[in-house]
């Protein structure tokens, strides 16, 4: 490598770092805005068909239900007993959605670095399906996605060891 090449690489590194920090701030702002939009939607719209079905079924705890796994019923049952039934029942599922984004961020950061992690978080939150969730929030999808994302992140941590080891 020539001296000019090394000097140009040193100048490019701070520019990339500034660009990555700017994108990180943009991503955090977009996550906050998407969360605010979700909160408004949660309280502005009534229960959809599947949500109303789950709200009624969760009143009696069971080990199994006819067409859904029980975890989201149990989550809703505990939350509804603590805070009452209503649109507020969607909040734990919004929290699971945010936790999924956090797990995807951690997984991408572990495997590919910080820049990719910010892009992953932005892509997850910019996806219109996860912003609107047309079938509703109170469904088995939210706990399943969070569990899968955290599980894959845990496997990646187990396979690659602590950060800083060779590679990532």
């Amino acid at each position: 490598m020539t001296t000019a090449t090394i000097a140009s690489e040193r100048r490019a590194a701070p520019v990339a770092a500034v660009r990555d920090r700017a994108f990180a701030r943009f991503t955090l702002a977009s996550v906050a805005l998407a969360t605010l939009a979700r909160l408004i939607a949660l309280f502005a719209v009534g229960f959809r068909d599947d949500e109303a079905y789950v709200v009624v079924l969760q009143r009696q705890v069971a080990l199994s239900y006819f067409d859904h796994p029980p975890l989201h019923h149990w989550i809703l049952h505990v939350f509804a007993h603590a805070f009452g039934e209503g649109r507020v029942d969607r909040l734990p599922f919004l929290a699971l959605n945010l936790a999924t984004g956090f797990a995807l961020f951690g997984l991408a950061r572990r495997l590919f670095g910080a820049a990719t992690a910010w892009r992953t978080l932005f892509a997850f939150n910019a996806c219109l399906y996860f912003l609107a969730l047309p079938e509703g929030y109170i469904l088995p999808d939210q706990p399943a996605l969070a569990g899968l994302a955290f599980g894959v992140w845990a496997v990646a941590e187990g396979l690659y060891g602590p950060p800083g080891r060779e590679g990532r």
Side-chain angles (χ1 to χ4, degrees):
M1 261 196 230
T2 66
T3 308
T5 305
I6 294 171
S8 89
E9 285 178 4
R10 286 185 182 159
R11 281 192 303 269
V15 172
V18 169
R19 186 184 64 232
D20 288 345
R21 281 195 302 272
F23 189 75
R25 284 192 299 274
F26 169 75
T27 301
L28 289 175
S30 70
V31 169
L33 197 60
T35 303
L36 180 64
R38 287 180 183 123
L39 280 170
I40 291 169
L42 289 180
F43 290 104
V45 178
F47 288 128
R48 293 174 173 92
D49 294 342
D50 284 340
E51 289 179 310
Y53 171 71
V54 173
V55 167
V56 170
L57 285 182
Q58 65 78 27
R59 293 175 184 158
Q60 183 174 348
V61 177
L63 291 176
S64 178
Y65 295 91
F66 177 67
D67 59 349
H68 286 116
L71 181 58
H72 71 295
H73 290 271
W74 298 342
I75 292 169
L76 183 59
H77 179 80
V78 169
F79 196 80
H81 275 281
F83 300 102
E85 281 185 14
R87 293 180 181 156
V88 72
D89 290 345
R90 293 174 172 154
L91 289 178
F93 298 93
L94 174 62
L96 284 168
N97 188 278
L98 293 172
T100 302
F102 171 75
L104 291 173
F105 176 86
L107 174 65
R109 184 175 183 154
R110 180 67 185 94
L111 295 178
F112 306 110
T116 302
W118 288 113
R119 287 176 179 83
T120 301
L121 183 61
F122 175 76
F124 180 72
N125 281 282
C127 178
L128 290 178
Y129 179 80
F130 291 111
L131 181 62
L133 286 172
E135 288 88 27
Y137 275 82
I138 305 174
L139 292 173
D141 302 3
Q142 300 302 329
L145 286 173
L148 287 170
F150 277 105
V152 172
W153 185 16
V155 167
E157 290 293 335
L159 288 175
Y160 295 107
R165 235 172 63 179
E166 73 181 66
R168 301 270 168 197

